[in-house]
Amino acid sequence: MRNIKIINDNWLFKKDTDIVPETLPADWEKLDLPYTWNGEDGQDGGNDYFRGSGCFLKAFSKSELPEGEEHYLQLDGVNSSAFVYLNGVRIASHHGGYSTFRVKLENVLEENILAVVADNSQNDFVYPQMADFTFYGGIYRDVKMIGVPKKHFNLEYYGAPGIKVTPVVNGADADVQLETFVTDSAECSVEYRILDGEKIVAKCDAAADHAAVDMKIENVHLWDGVKDPYLYTAKASLIFDGEKIDEVSVRFGCRSFEIDAQRGFILNGREYPLRGVSRHQDRPKIGNALTYEHHREDIDLICEMGANTIRLAHYQHAQEFYDLCDERGLVVWAEIPYISKHLPKGVENTKTQLTELICQNYNHPCIVTWGLSNEITMNGAADQSLIDNHKMLNDLAHSLDKTRPTTLAVVTLCSPDEEYVHITDVVSYNHYFGWYGGTADMYGPWFDRFHKKYPGRAIGISEYGCEALNWHTSNPEQGDYTEEYQANYHEELIRQIADRPYLWATHVWNMFDFAADARGEGGENGMNHKGLVTFDRKYKKDSFYAYKAWLSDEPFVHICGKRYVRRTEDVTKVTVYSNQDEVELFANGKSVGKQKKGKYPFFYFKVENSGKTILTARAGTCTDRAELEKVETFDESYRMKEEGGVINWFEISTPQGYFSINDTIGSVMSTFRGKLFMLKLAKVLLSSLLGNKSGEKKPKEKKPKTKGISVMGFSLNRTMLDLAKGFTVKRVFVMLGGNFTKEQILDVNASLNKIKKPK
């Protein structure tokens, strides 16, 4: 029988080296796995975190190997390339930092040195190379030794488990095909069993070289989403010479699903709108080097919010997390890190990573779609190599798995008419209307136009969101990074999504704040703050509770703005979220009023702000509490502080009835004089903003030809114009990354101050 031993303890490590020593060095760092060398420098901003090689060493004796005639090393995650050595001899290499791979150990001595060189340095053939998250280097998941007999279930096929389970619901029953893969199957048979708990509900035996066996579960108990994620176990035992010599088992669920362009996602015959989040896995100081308890905390928070789906972006996540999604009934979009920029030399790597993703995760009932890429057309969608690669991947996914559709996450600027958008079975868009330009009310009309033009094409939202830190205001506006704007934004998105059941899936970007070392905005460098929950998982932002009110059945009430206590206005708005039918708000024990829940679970009250006020919200048996305090001047600790910001709010003159740089491009252009003025700025503003939203200077690249005016390789289209009109003039300058001085910006403001607003 196989024996598995985790060998995470007692490694030696040296960063910035790919040299494999012949003996154990005395001066190397001692550590336990999992580990990343970017736990700090990958989270502090500056885009200067270490990307290179590090060598991990472990000594072991032959006697320490788990019992077995043959031995394999299993590495569950080494980012992003790995080179494995045994006693100084390279025995394997692997390119792809998020999937499991195994290495057969041969020529093992009495005393041995195992070395793994991890390398997350930049290259032109391993994905990802350009993306809005940190690529943590190291061995950040478990390392195992596996001992097996010479005849065993295959351990060398793309890290797969050696058993493949394909259930098909057929009326009240389920037809289940089981397939195993055996190394040296001569004179062997396989004993198949399906268990419901401890009870065997189906069984059969077959020759080990038999392609597959068909079995039946009568009166099947369905895997039915978050309400009833029921799991069976498939077990296969390898029999040789009358003895059981190896065994593999997996859990699986029986469910049917389809994705309909009109009705959305359908689970087990009923409409089941997929409404949830995307997830990045990293945490403070440890990056992606997570424990099971970390995964469990994440899944608990997602389920508390009431989500029924997760997009596991932008790479293969840990097996423990897919297992948890199986157990909790969360529907999963799984994808590979083919992201942002097509690499001509990376075609084989996309093929390998997709094969590993599907083969290693085929048995998970939670997974319903394979994502081929994310925002890959950042430089345009007309690249024939990019299109051909997607067609190849689409065919590959269908050849490996005939039960699940493929999908894409498409960047906003890519027109729905592009060929690339129509390669996969279904599609979703990453939109940030109301954050990166445009306004939040643009979502619904945009998707309605797509739906009308392509009524047979299932469409969803793969990303949407905006950033929030511990900044606060009573007058939230786009780009202010306040918790209040994020809450208002998501209220608006909930309204629009709820009214469009044809959206097959919607995923908030993101469930948690995450590290992106190239970022420097919002007042904290190195982070993307679009999470509904903070990076350390300690604080649930108000927007988290907006979704809980919409999606969760667990009774609760939540008063927004708990971190926004000191306010200047005499009467202040207080927002309450609850999934209960009625909410009553009290100020210092006196009722402010009762409100019945309308179409959406958001309640708004006007509260007199005088002295200190204790707010209490009551909804059914649920209560919540918050505090207010009247102050005369605005508390500057609530206002965003930007490192290196070129202009402060108090330097901007805003005469009543006249424009300023605080107004949007669209509003300025609504007047004749404003349009003339903006046309003078339009060329530099639009090309700088839409061509490079991060402000980073990039080398010129040869781009595909497009008809008419083009931006980032795309023909100028309505969406681009709507995005541009939604930006304030100030925000454009800020996002241009220091290309304009404060004096130049104030000159623009002075000119706008002379242009009257329409009455």
Side-chain angles (χ1 to χ4, degrees), residues 555-572:
F556 87 103
V557 64
H558 171 78
I559 301 174
C560 296
K562 288 189 177 67
R563 298 195 290 187
Y564 181 33
V565 176
R566 296 172 295 281
R567 307 188 191 187
T568 60
E569 58 268 27
D570 295 329
V571 177
T572 191

Side-chain angles (χ1 to χ4, degrees), residues 405-472:
T406 54
T407 192
L408 289 172
V410 184
V411 69
T412 288
L413 298 185
C414 187
S415 167
D417 301 327
E418 295 283 359
E419 178 185 4
Y420 144 85
V421 176
H422 299 272
I423 292 173
T424 52
D425 300 307
V426 299
V427 70
S428 288
Y429 260 79
N430 296 354
H431 283 321
Y432 290 96
F433 305 137
W435 188 247
Y436 296 129
T439 53
D441 59 4
M442 287 172 55
Y443 284 86
W446 190 97
F447 283 100
D448 288 343
R449 290 194 297 272
F450 184 105
H451 188 54
K452 182 179 180 180
K453 188 169 186 178
Y454 297 105
R457 187 95 172 110
I459 181 69
I461 313 179
S462 37
E463 291 183 22
Y464 66 96
C466 68
E467 302 197 38
L469 293 87
N470 192 11
W471 311 124
H472 303 281

Side-chain angles (χ1 to χ4, degrees), residues 32-138:
D32 296 332
L33 303 178
Y35 173 79
T36 176
W37 56 68
N38 297 125
E40 295 191 11
D41 69 352
Q43 303 178 353
D44 61 0
N47 199 27
D48 56 356
Y49 66 102
F50 176 76
R51 294 187 65 180
S53 297
C55 184
F56 297 81
L57 298 177
K58 185 173 179 62
F60 70 93
S61 301
K62 193 172 186 178
S63 61
E64 295 179 279
L65 290 172
E67 184 178 349
E69 296 175 278
E70 295 183 352
H71 295 90
Y72 289 82
L73 177 71
Q74 176 173 312
L75 297 110
D76 290 340
V78 183
N79 200 33
S80 57
S81 294
F83 306 93
V84 182
Y85 298 79
L86 182 62
N87 299 319
V89 177
R90 185 190 288 190
I91 58 174
S93 60
H94 180 262
H95 301 292
Y98 302 97
S99 53
T100 294
F101 68 99
R102 302 190 186 103
V103 184
K104 189 174 183 180
L105 299 178
E106 298 179 297
N107 303 316
V108 177
L109 307 176
E110 290 301 322
E111 300 296 332
N112 305 272
I113 295 179
L114 175 67
V116 180
V117 175
D119 185 357
N120 70 335
S121 59
Q122 295 179 345
N123 60 70
D124 60 0
F125 72 99
V126 181
Y127 286 96
Q129 289 299 322
M130 185 176 82
D132 186 28
F133 60 95
T134 296
F135 311 145
Y136 297 98

Side-chain angles (χ1 to χ4, degrees), residues 180 182 185-186 188-190 206-212:
T180 53
V182 179
S185 61
C188 291
S189 63
V190 178
D209 59 357
H210 194 279

Side-chain angles (χ1 to χ4, degrees), residues 31 96 110 122 143 150 164 188 208 244 255 258 300 333 379 387 419 424 471 602 625 633 649 654 667 708 740 742:
L31 54 77
E110 290 301 322
Q122 295 179 345
V143 180
K150 288 187 179 298
K164 185 177 180 182
C188 291
K244 186 185 296 184
R255 79 284 187 270
E258 61 179 303
D300 286 344
W333 162 333
N379 291 322
I387 293 171
E419 178 185 4
T424 52
W471 311 124
F602 314 133
R625 183 181 181 277
T633 58
W649 65 271
T654 57
S667 63
F740 293 84
K742 179 169 68 174

Side-chain angles (χ1 to χ4, degrees), residues 41 84 88 145 176 180 202 268 378 474 500 538 565 626 668 689 694:
D41 69 352
V84 182
M145 291 278 198
V176 183
T180 53
N268 297 327
M378 293 290 282
S474 296
R500 290 170 174 83
K538 301 301 182 185
V565 176
V668 174
L689 175 62
S694 69

Side-chain angles (χ1 to χ4, degrees), residues 285-526:
K285 306 299 182 184
I286 61 171
N288 291 343
L290 307 181
T291 66
Y292 177 79
E293 287 70 27
H294 292 137
H295 294 301
R296 187 61 179 260
E297 182 180 27
D298 280 7
I299 209 87
D300 286 344
L301 286 165
I302 292 168
C303 289
E304 179 191 342
M305 196 189 81
N308 64 5
T309 181
I310 310 178
R311 178 181 172 217
L312 290 179
H314 291 296
Y315 40 75
Q316 184 169 331
H317 286 233
Q319 282 299 311
E320 292 90 341
F321 200 80
Y322 293 111
D323 289 340
L324 286 166
C325 291
D326 288 341
E327 294 170 9
R328 304 296 283 272
L330 290 160
V331 172
V332 168
W333 162 333
E335 67 186 46
I336 59 173
Y338 183 26
I339 179 170
S340 299
K341 182 179 181 180
H342 175 68
L343 304 174
K345 295 181 181 179
V347 170
E348 186 62 29
N349 189 247
T350 64
K351 181 178 178 180
T352 300
Q353 292 208 47
L354 183 63
T355 301
E356 290 177 331
L357 177 73
I358 294 175
C359 291
Q360 293 175 24
N361 296 284
Y362 183 91
N363 299 318
H364 289 289
C366 63
I367 297 174
V368 301
T369 188
W370 304 116
L372 303 188
S373 66
N374 175 78
E375 295 191 349
I376 199 63
T377 58
M378 293 290 282
N379 291 322
D383 185 335
Q384 191 60 47
S385 173
L386 179 151
I387 293 171
D388 291 344
N389 198 38
H390 279 80
K391 290 179 178 178
M392 178 274 291
L393 292 175
N394 196 57
D395 291 342
L396 175 63
H398 289 139
S399 70
L400 293 170
D401 184 358
K402 295 178 174 56
T403 71
R404 295 178 175 95
T406 54
T407 192
L408 289 172
V410 184
V411 69
T412 288
L413 298 185
C414 187
S415 167
D417 301 327
E418 295 283 359
E419 178 185 4
Y420 144 85
V421 176
H422 299 272
I423 292 173
T424 52
D425 300 307
V426 299
V427 70
S428 288
Y429 260 79
N430 296 354
H431 283 321
Y432 290 96
F433 305 137
W435 188 247
Y436 296 129
T439 53
D441 59 4
M442 287 172 55
Y443 284 86
W446 190 97
F447 283 100
D448 288 343
R449 290 194 297 272
F450 184 105
H451 188 54
K452 182 179 180 180
K453 188 169 186 178
Y454 297 105
R457 187 95 172 110
I459 181 69
I461 313 179
S462 37
E463 291 183 22
Y464 66 96
C466 68
E467 302 197 38
L469 293 87
N470 192 11
W471 311 124
H472 303 281
T473 180
S474 296
N475 299 292
E477 59 183 31
Q478 182 182 147
D480 65 10
Y481 295 86
T482 63
E483 192 172 355
E484 287 71 34
Y485 181 79
Q486 188 191 51
N488 289 359
Y489 170 97
H490 282 291
E491 288 174 24
E492 177 62 28
L493 266 293
I494 288 169
R495 293 184 185 99
Q496 295 189 52
I497 291 170
D499 290 345
R500 290 170 174 83
Y502 65 79
L503 293 169
W504 76 269
T506 60
H507 296 96
V508 176
W509 191 260
N510 197 282
M511 181 64 188
F512 307 106
D513 291 345
F514 59 91
D517 197 54
R519 280 183 170 258
E521 54 183 294
E524 182 183 13
N525 292 337

